[in-house]
Amino acid sequence: MERAIRTCLRYPTLTAIITLMIVAVGLRALLNMPRTEDPSITIRTGLVLAAYPGATSEQVEKQVTKTLEASIFKFQEVRKAKTFSTSRPGLAIVNVELEKNVKQPDVFWAKLRHDLNQVKATSLPREVMGPIVNSDFGDTVAMLVAVSGDRYGYRELRDYVDQIQDTLRGVRGVGKIATYGAQNEQIWVTSSLERMSQYFTDPLKVAGALSQRNTVLGAGSVRTDVGKVPLHTTGAFNSEDEIRRVMVGQSQTGQPIYIGDFAEVERRYQDPEFMVRFDGKPTVVIAVEMQKGDNIVQMGDRVSEALERLRPLLPPDLKMDYIANQPQVVEERMSGMGHEFLIAITCVVIVTVLLLPMR
């Protein structure tokens, strides 16, 4: 130790250069290191869900659950002793636990989704919905942006939220993007059985007429000089009036009967599972997650810049407010830590100079 100190004092220029290099490397690492408020937690648990409408628990067990278990248990990453299944009427649930040596669970879940897609196409009944793999239990939201406006309903907000999402998807460092609070629209056809019987129709005829009309089918092709051009029927509804003009039958006198003759057709929002309001106004919230290993402060700056570039393309009275902003919180904490660190270093230097000789 004494020899090293003597060497440093004998060659002060070399000592100063090495010291400056170490300080530069440390500053670069401090400025570019990954930052986030919440630690990254590796969760090795997931759910495999499949719906089989109308099936009993026994049918679900034999036709769905057993098939899913056979596909899942063939993977070495699965911890068989902790993996179990539950069969309910119309629903199969498999709780999948991974071995502790699995370091990248996301890679396994992607591989499992691919394998279950093949199982669905070859081994499950056609009526089965799914299976889906839910493994997003350890993700944390970095930013929550509330989109609202005094004169905008959920239909208008949905269009603007889609535009904002398209912009955020191109920002480097942004991971998953989800929306909360949006209300889906439905078309309601309402009537009474008494009124429908007067027009010699019933709900089954109405449902059949709507399903046949609201489809897009292939109608052949046209041969041209550059090849074949496929033709399709234009069956999708574009307005409520088109639904009112759907014919469901004929009267005894041969007159056509349309849905608008005996039913009311209107557009409504479906019954909401939950609603979001900001300052008492209808709001759609955009949740932005950060890619693992990125710098949350730099990602927040890029998101803010992207929203500022998008602002002139949106209505001036459309508001975008931050409900949660982890990048700002982390930046404030890092600034406070840097300030306290400089104070500590300064105190150490002053005490050292006062208590030791100048040499």
Side-chain angles (χ1 to χ4, degrees), residues 35-107:
R35 301 177 187 177
T36 183
E37 184 178 13
D38 301 314
S40 178
I41 302 175
T42 301
I43 296 181
R44 298 178 175 85
T45 302
L47 292 177
V48 178
L49 307 172
Y52 193 3
T56 63
S57 299
E58 185 178 358
Q59 291 173 329
V60 171
E61 177 72 18
K62 292 181 178 180
Q63 301 181 30
V64 180
T65 306
K66 293 296 184 182
T67 303
L68 294 178
E69 288 179 344
S71 176
I72 293 171
F73 285 158
K74 71 181 183 181
F75 291 99
Q76 298 179 354
E77 296 90 340
V78 176
R79 192 176 183 183
K80 279 74 174 179
K82 294 292 185 178
T83 299
F84 61 93
S85 62
T86 304
S87 298
R88 299 176 181 176
L91 181 65
I93 305 173
V94 183
N95 295 70
V96 182
E97 182 81 15
L98 302 184
E99 296 287 354
K100 294 183 179 180
N101 58 1
V102 178
K103 302 301 181 181
Q104 295 180 332
D106 292 340
V107 176

Side-chain angles (χ1 to χ4, degrees), residues 192-213:
S192 63
L193 291 177
E194 180 181 1
R195 188 177 178 187
M196 295 176 68
S197 62
Q198 294 176 357
Y199 287 86
F200 304 99
T201 186
D202 56 68
L204 293 178
K205 288 184 179 180
V206 176
L210 290 175
S211 62
Q212 292 177 4
R213 173 67 172 80

Side-chain angles (χ1 to χ4, degrees), residues 71-334:
S71 176
I72 293 171
F73 285 158
K74 71 181 183 181
F75 291 99
Q76 298 179 354
E77 296 90 340
V78 176
R79 192 176 183 183
K80 279 74 174 179
K82 294 292 185 178
T83 299
F84 61 93
S85 62
T86 304
S87 298
R88 299 176 181 176
L91 181 65
I93 305 173
V94 183
N95 295 70
V96 182
E97 182 81 15
L98 302 184
E99 296 287 354
K100 294 183 179 180
N101 58 1
V102 178
K103 302 301 181 181
Q104 295 180 332
D106 292 340
V107 176
F108 169 77
W109 298 125
K111 184 168 58 174
L112 180 61
R113 289 186 179 95
H114 176 72
D115 186 78
L116 292 180
N117 288 334
Q118 294 181 342
V119 172
K120 174 180 174 60
T122 58
S123 304
L124 293 178
R126 291 184 300 175
E127 296 79 5
V128 173
M129 302 170 60
I132 61 174
V133 180
N134 185 5
S135 59
D136 300 332
F137 298 115
D139 298 334
T140 57
V141 176
M143 305 174 75
L144 288 176
V145 183
V147 183
S148 61
D150 293 329
R151 60 185 182 91
Y152 300 108
Y154 288 108
R155 182 190 298 181
E156 295 81 7
L157 289 177
R158 180 183 60 187
D159 296 334
Y160 294 127
V161 167
D162 291 341
Q163 189 175 358
I164 296 172
Q165 283 184 292
D166 292 339
T167 300
L168 295 180
R169 289 190 184 98
V171 177
R172 183 166 59 88
V174 171
K176 299 178 183 177
I177 301 177
T179 59
Y180 302 96
Q183 305 301 321
N184 296 323
E185 291 183 317
Q186 291 180 336
I187 300 297
W188 286 62
V189 180
T190 56
S191 183
S192 63
L193 291 177
E194 180 181 1
R195 188 177 178 187
M196 295 176 68
S197 62
Q198 294 176 357
Y199 287 86
F200 304 99
T201 186
D202 56 68
L204 293 178
K205 288 184 179 180
V206 176
L210 290 175
S211 62
Q212 292 177 4
R213 173 67 172 80
N214 195 36
T215 56
V216 178
L217 300 175
S221 61
V222 176
R223 184 180 298 275
T224 64
D225 295 337
V226 296
K228 289 185 178 180
V229 178
L231 299 178
H232 296 86
T233 59
T234 57
F237 295 123
N238 296 316
S239 66
E240 294 90 328
D241 290 334
E242 293 184 4
I243 298 177
R244 296 187 185 99
R245 294 194 296 266
V246 172
M247 189 176 71
V248 295
Q250 292 180 347
S251 66
Q252 292 181 343
T253 60
Q255 297 295 325
I257 299 175
Y258 302 99
I259 290 180
D261 295 333
F262 57 84
E264 300 293 334
V265 181
E266 58 182 338
R267 188 188 298 267
R268 300 182 190 175
Y269 291 110
Q270 70 180 37
D271 295 336
E273 297 180 358
F274 63 90
M275 299 182 67
V276 179
R277 291 187 178 275
F278 185 79
D279 288 342
K281 298 184 292 293
T283 304
V284 177
V285 174
I286 302 176
V288 181
E289 299 180 9
M290 183 187 69
Q291 294 179 357
K292 294 182 180 180
D294 206 334
N295 189 316
I296 195 170
V297 177
Q298 296 177 358
M299 187 214 72
D301 294 338
R302 292 192 290 265
V303 169
S304 299
E305 293 174 359
L307 293 179
E308 288 299 325
R309 291 194 302 268
L310 181 63
R311 169 57 68 182
L313 304 178
L314 299 175
D317 55 347
L318 185 72
K319 298 181 180 179
M320 292 186 294
D321 301 283
Y322 291 106
I323 300 178
N325 193 351
Q326 282 194 12
Q328 182 179 359
V329 174
V330 173
E331 185 175 13
E332 292 175 354
R333 291 182 179 178
M334 292 297 295

